[in-house]
């Protein structure tokens, strides 16, 4: 059996994923017209045709599972409870790395790989959640006989989306340094292209910090998504799950937009008829895709880390490490965390984040941790180096020893 190459798309079915005729069309209880696992999964994905972003995310997780099974010459119906631990370990460490891990490439590129790197615990949990839903659908469709995810005894640890506080964000002093670095002017004599790239990068980071968008929402943003009503500016966005929302736009964001439009040679005033892309490629016309925007932000973090390391050396080793670790989604976490620390009410914070559950937004509230830590610090050993001379009673009186 020839294993499917990681660069192959989901629609390519290997012999390991094919079903015999008596197992498909002639089998009782089969409710979909499919000949392979890939075709069955494609029909499941079609249920999300109205939510392209969700469909892409689900496609990615399904494809990883199919390729992993195909390596072993097995199909979906062969997946058992004991396989899930091995699959989760694979998500945490896809090996061999040269076969599974690589930079962002188009799907048709032979250098494409299913992973950018090992998945974090949160990402692994999300993958299992998605695949459990897929198997529920496939069971109802009669394609597989059972859902092994339902047999997971430690389901709460793996599949419960409730988590502790958000940790993947930049603390305020580090963000302040980063923004000062992003705001440094170009060197005298710098080319127009270099100035263009610096202005665009500053807009991208400022946009992410001020409005807390997801990266797909940033790449999809249009000029006329920013609209004025009764003297106030609002950002209109279609987000996750095709939810329509409007977010208040602070003055700093409008200043960044004005700077960017000037660089593009456009009038400072936004037009309600201008549906052109907000973020653009070097030609000043075409928009930026999700992958290009992702790389732009990651490259910005890496360059900032190198700059900070050059300026502060080992004294900033922890901060340099955070910048090198940071991804675009950290900017969303940073934005929401800093808004919470600034005293933005939970209901408004949830509206900005576009969370359907307040307990999801509450993960960005660190005030309880700070107060807990302050009070805990009052509990010490009480050692002063001097022998005690008195004993204190509950009523406050003191008695010599």
């Amino acid at each position: 059996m020839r294993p499917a190459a990681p660069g192959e798309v989901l629609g390519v079915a290997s012999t390991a994923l094919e079903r015999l005729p008596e197992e498909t069309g002639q089998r009782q209880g089969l409710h979909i017209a499919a000949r392979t696992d890939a075709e069955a999964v494609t029909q499941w994905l079609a249920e999300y045709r109205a939510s392209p972003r969700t469909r892409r995310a689900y496609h990615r997780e399904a494809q990883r599972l199919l390729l992993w099974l195909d390596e072993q010459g097995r199909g979906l119906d062969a997946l058992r409870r004991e396989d899930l631990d091995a699959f989760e370990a694979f998500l945490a460490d896809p090996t061999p790395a040269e076969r599974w891990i690589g930079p962002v490439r188009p799907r048709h590129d032979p250098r494409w790989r299913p992973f950018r790197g090992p998945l974090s615990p949160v990402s692994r949990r999300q993958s299992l959640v998605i695949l459990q839903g897929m198997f529920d659908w496939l069971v109802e469709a009669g394609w597989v006989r059972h859902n092994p995810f339902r047999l997971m005894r430690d389901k709460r640890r793996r599949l419960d989306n409730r988590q502790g506080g958000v940790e993947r964000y930049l603390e305020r002093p580090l963000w302040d340094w980063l923004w000062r670095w992003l705001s440094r002017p170009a060197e005298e004599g710098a080319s127009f292209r270099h100035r263009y790239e610096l202005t665009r990068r500053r807009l991208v980071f400022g946009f992410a910090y001020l409005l807390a968008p997801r990266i797909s929402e940033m790449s999809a943003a249009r000029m006329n998504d920013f609209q004025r009503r009764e003297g106030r500016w609002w950002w209109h966005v279609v987000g996750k799950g095709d939810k329509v929302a409007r977010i208040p736009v602070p003055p700093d964001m409008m200043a960044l937009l004005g700077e960017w439009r000037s660089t593009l040679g456009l009038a400072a005033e936004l037009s309600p008829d201008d549906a052109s892309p907000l973020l653009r490629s070097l030609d000043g016309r075409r928009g930026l895709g999700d992958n290009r925007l992702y790389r732009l932000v990651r490259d910005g973090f890496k360059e900032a880390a190198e700059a900070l390391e050059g300026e502060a050396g080992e004294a900033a080793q922890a901060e340099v490490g955070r910048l090198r670790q940071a991804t675009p989604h950290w900017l969303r976490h940073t934005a929401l965390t800093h808004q919470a620390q600034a005293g933005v009410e939970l209901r408004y914070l949830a509206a900005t984040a576009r969370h359907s559950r307040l307990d999801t937004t509450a993960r960005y509230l660190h005030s309880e941790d700070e107060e807990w830590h302050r009070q805990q610090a009052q509990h010490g050993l009480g050692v002063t180096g001097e022998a005690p001379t008195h004993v204190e009673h509950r009523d406050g009186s003191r008695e010599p020893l």
Side-chain angles (χ1 to χ4, degrees):
M1 188 275 298
R2 178 193 62 79
E8 292 180 345
V9 297
L10 185 64
V12 176
S14 72
T15 54
L17 305 182
E18 293 175 357
R19 294 290 181 87
L20 297 174
E22 58 269 21
E23 294 178 329
T24 55
Q26 298 176 17
R27 193 178 73 190
Q28 290 185 347
L30 184 61
H31 306 300
I32 57 174
R35 296 176 297 106
T36 67
D37 281 349
E39 291 180 3
V41 170
T42 297
Q43 292 194 38
W44 167 67
L45 290 170
E47 299 293 330
Y48 300 92
R49 63 176 66 88
S51 301
R53 297 188 188 98
T54 300
R55 188 182 185 281
R56 284 197 298 271
Y58 286 12
H59 179 284
R60 180 179 63 243
E61 302 309 327
Q63 187 169 40
R64 286 168 174 168
L65 177 61
L66 287 176
L67 290 171
W68 182 75
L69 286 170
D70 191 52
E71 283 274 289
Q72 307 162 48
R74 305 166 64 201
L76 290 173
D77 204 41
L79 193 65
R80 297 292 180 263
R81 168 62 186 89
E82 57 268 22
D83 298 322
L84 299 183
D85 294 331
F87 180 65
E88 187 177 10
F90 166 73
L91 295 177
D93 183 22
T95 54
E98 61 273 12
R99 176 168 175 76
W100 295 101
I101 299 175
V104 176
R105 305 281 186 190
R107 284 252 170 81
H108 60 268
D109 191 321
R111 296 170 296 174
W112 176 87
R113 297 294 181 267
F115 295 87
R116 289 176 181 160
L119 298 191
S120 68
V122 172
S123 296
R124 297 198 299 271
R125 177 169 51 246
Q126 183 65 15
S127 178
L128 295 175
V129 168
I130 291 170
L131 294 174
Q132 174 175 294
M134 181 183 79
F135 264 81
D136 280 341
W137 189 92
L138 293 173
V139 169
E140 289 298 313
W143 186 256
V144 296
R145 287 167 287 189
H146 80 297
N147 186 344
F149 294 91
R150 294 292 180 185
L151 302 179
M152 297 173 74
R153 185 177 179 183
D154 54 349
K155 189 180 300 180
R156 176 176 295 274
R157 178 180 69 83
R158 282 192 171 95
L159 299 184
D160 196 336
N161 272 328
R162 291 173 294 179
Q163 305 166 29
V166 169
E167 302 295 339
R168 295 178 297 167
Y169 70 97
L170 304 182
E171 295 181 1
R172 186 71 200 216
L174 181 54
W175 165 259
D176 288 343
W177 177 90
L178 177 62
W179 186 248
R180 288 194 300 271
W181 177 79
L182 290 165
S183 301
R184 292 175 185 175
E187 296 180 0
E188 188 175 350
S191 66
F192 173 79
R193 171 172 174 164
H194 182 62
R195 294 176 184 276
Y196 180 95
E197 290 177 327
L198 290 183
T199 304
R200 182 177 64 179
R201 183 172 66 183
R202 178 177 157 87
L203 173 67
V204 166
F205 276 78
F207 184 5
Y209 180 75
L210 292 170
L211 299 180
R214 299 175 178 89
I215 195 164
S216 58
E217 296 164 354
M218 293 177 69
S219 65
R222 302 287 166 174
M223 288 289 184
N224 59 359
D225 289 340
F226 294 86
Q227 302 175 13
R228 183 160 50 190
R229 294 289 183 272
E230 298 184 0
R232 301 182 182 90
W233 286 96
W234 299 84
W235 175 46
H236 291 248
V237 56
V238 179
K240 191 175 181 180
D242 292 328
K243 294 178 182 177
V244 178
R246 62 172 192 162
I247 311 298
V249 180
D252 283 350
M253 182 63 195
M254 296 309 300
L256 287 174
L257 280 173
E259 180 185 16
W260 175 235
R261 287 180 63 85
S262 176
T263 300
L264 293 173
L266 301 175
E269 186 71 18
L270 288 165
S271 168
D273 299 323
D274 185 0
S276 61
L278 173 67
L279 301 176
R280 306 187 185 188
S281 58
L282 292 175
D283 65 8
R285 297 186 300 274
R286 291 180 294 115
L288 291 180
D290 293 3
N291 289 337
R292 178 68 188 95
L293 185 55
Y294 182 95
R295 292 197 301 272
L296 189 154
V297 176
R298 284 285 282 170
D299 290 346
F301 276 128
K302 290 177 182 177
E303 190 176 336
E306 292 172 1
L308 181 57
E309 186 175 41
E311 293 175 7
E314 292 189 3
Q317 185 175 3
E319 290 78 8
V320 169
R322 295 288 284 177
L323 289 174
R324 286 183 174 147
Q325 186 183 9
T327 67
H329 206 63
W330 280 44
L331 290 172
R332 176 173 162 85
H333 290 323
T334 300
L336 296 171
T337 298
H338 289 186
Q339 288 183 44
Q341 292 172 342
V344 174
E345 292 182 29
L346 184 61
R347 55 176 175 155
Y348 295 134
L349 195 65
T352 296
R354 284 154 286 128
H355 291 151
S356 57
R357 295 166 56 100
L358 284 179
D359 56 353
T360 302
T361 311
R363 296 165 54 214
Y364 295 94
L365 303 178
H366 297 269
S367 56
E368 288 293 325
D369 288 347
E370 294 169 4
E371 179 61 19
W372 181 14
H373 198 282
R374 187 190 69 78
Q375 295 191 24
Q376 186 76 4
Q378 299 176 13
H379 175 59
L381 294 173
V383 177
T384 64
E386 299 179 359
T389 58
H390 294 76
V391 61
E392 292 193 5
H393 298 289
R394 288 186 177 181
D395 60 4
S397 61
R398 305 178 73 204
E399 179 181 348
L401 290 175

